[in-house]
Amino acid sequence: MAALAATACATPAEPEATVDTDAGITIFNTEPENPLVPGNTTEVGGGNVLDPLFTGLIEYDPKDAKPVNAMAESFETKDSKLFTVKLKSGWTFHDGSPVTAKSFVDAWNWTAYGPNAAQGASFFSQIEGYSAVNPKDPDGPDGPQPAPTPTANTLSGLKVVDDTTFTITLSEAFSVFPVTVGYEVFSPLPESFFKDKAAFEQHPIGNGPFRFVSRVVGQEIKLTRWDDYKGGEKPKFKDLTLKAYQSREAAYGDLVTNSLDFMEELPPNALAGQKYEQDLGDRVVQRETLNNQTIAFPFYLKPYDDVNVRKALSLAINREEITQRIFEGSRKPADGWVHPLTEGYKPGQCEFCKFDPTKAKEYWAKANYTGPIILQSNTDGGHQEWAEAVVNSIKNTLGIDIKFVPTTSFGEFRQKVNAHEMTGMYRAGWIADYPSIENWLTPILRTGASSNDGLYSNPAFDAKLAEADKAPSKDEANKLYQDAEKIAAQDMPTIPLWTQNTIGGKSNRLKTATLDPFRSLDLFSVEVTK
């Protein structure tokens, strides 16, 4: 997930007379997993709703993902450990209350506080005092012992200086930190959230270019343009409906008939034989995006805790064949965990990502496992075809008992993943939160990280990440992150499958609509024909 991309400092352009600035549009979405609280949302369906509702300190340029100031007037440091943030004045939340330094500090403290169990808590682990508000659970989240009681309620590294200034002190220098704070878990929260959290979850109040209108769980969420938005660029349409579908295939049917205005990614049945070109013509929207597809392992369940099993399964997947047959070449086989478009990417980091039937059989023999293997996935995201192809590739290579087990909605699927209730390996993937090599490793694979859902842990990998975090320069940090990636590669904590040229589509009502690097609709690009 990524913050709404916007060139916040750009001069607003007046829409042409042929553009209907009061129009409404409907776009595809998956059902959010949790109530809509920024610090507790780390999945795509919820992020697609929260991005338009909130504006953080920085945002990412929709063309090249470079960070630009949004609510931050300045973000200064001399040592990458102590940061001073000055906010732009005059911003308010949708309820009219001011957005102040306290709005950020209180929101960050709430997310970091262990008993709140917010999914985004670990993003604050670099801030001084995190271990006091979120002490490490000695037997892990699934252990029988309760987590230790925090010895502090707030992060000692956060200080409000005045209404528009606050300081951030990190435990150690972390040069990447300023790039991370555009991610939505760093959004501010109004005082109303802390007075009545349940009411806020029913009616979220943000400070972004759109405000909340209504939600029907499992069906749709409605937002509308907030005309008092203080950002430099304004949406050129009024109403935004995010519609949840049972499957991408169903949504694609609506897109073809212009009943749906935008899908960021078309399903495999539309890609087959490049059918979408006939169906959509000049309504196709595409670009290279910062996301990948992976298979994750539940390390809490045998035999997936066996590295030989994990290596054998990865070596048995013919990525070249699947990307051509299922995706018509719009996916590129992955050779590591870091996306090739990310600065610091090093080719060939994953030696077990190449299809090698001989080696696959050798590792499977080492595992000495004869039971079944299961691959699980939700089916509302266009994943069934490739999941079945992966299962067939492994079955044909290893001759083992393996099957694909579908679940229904993305939200239901994610709840089982987060509850550590998976009964087999499962579909995963990552859309960059921010443009850094660190984001492809830390949140997914570091011990206890927010999206380390399979509970992978390797102290040597963690130590190398920590060393990279403290590196004095970006080049030195990138080299150390590469070393960390290589350590993880020997464990195969997940199976990298492919990256992609994302192919989406728009209705004939939309004059313009473009994808940003994070595989989301750039809402500021949308113009509706009058």
Side-chain angles (χ1 to χ4, degrees), residues 26-42:
T26 301
I27 67 175
F28 171 85
N29 198 32
T30 50
E31 180 65 17
E33 175 190 1
N34 294 323
L36 299 167
V37 177
N40 196 30
T41 299
T42 58

Side-chain angles (χ1 to χ4, degrees), residues 400-482:
I400 64 174
D401 177 12
I402 178 171
K403 64 180 179 180
F404 170 62
V405 177
T407 61
T408 53
S409 72
F410 178 67
E412 179 185 326
F413 178 72
R414 285 298 309 170
Q415 286 170 2
K416 289 184 180 297
V417 169
N418 283 324
H420 307 138
E421 295 176 350
M422 303 308 284
T423 57
M425 59 183 185
Y426 53 95
R427 179 198 74 78
W430 191 249
I431 301 174
D433 302 317
Y434 43 85
S436 168
I437 180 174
E438 182 265 353
N439 189 235
W440 296 97
L441 302 172
T442 295
I444 314 165
L445 302 178
R446 197 172 200 156
T447 301
S450 61
S451 296
N452 184 355
D453 303 317
L455 305 182
Y456 165 67
S457 180
N458 181 336
F461 173 75
D462 294 344
K464 189 59 70 175
L465 285 181
E467 189 180 351
D469 291 346
K470 292 180 286 187
S473 71
K474 184 189 294 182
D475 288 343
E476 289 173 84
N478 286 348
K479 174 67 171 59
L480 291 166
Y481 286 126
Q482 292 169 358

Side-chain angles (χ1 to χ4, degrees), residues 11 36 64 72-73 154 198 202 217 244 277 313 328 356 366 378 404 411 424 452 463-464 467 518 520:
T11 301
L36 299 167
D64 55 16
E73 183 71 45
T154 58
Q202 292 296 315
V217 174
E277 292 186 349
L313 294 172
E328 296 284 335
D356 190 329
K366 288 182 183 178
N378 57 309
F404 170 62
N452 184 355
K464 189 59 70 175
E467 189 180 351
F518 305 98
S520 292

Side-chain angles (χ1 to χ4, degrees), residues 291-313:
N291 57 294
N292 66 10
Q293 193 76 68
T294 64
I295 292 174
F297 294 107
F299 278 70
Y300 48 85
L301 183 69
K302 291 185 179 302
Y304 306 100
D305 59 341
D306 186 333
V307 67
N308 291 314
V309 168
R310 300 193 298 271
K311 288 178 178 177
L313 294 172

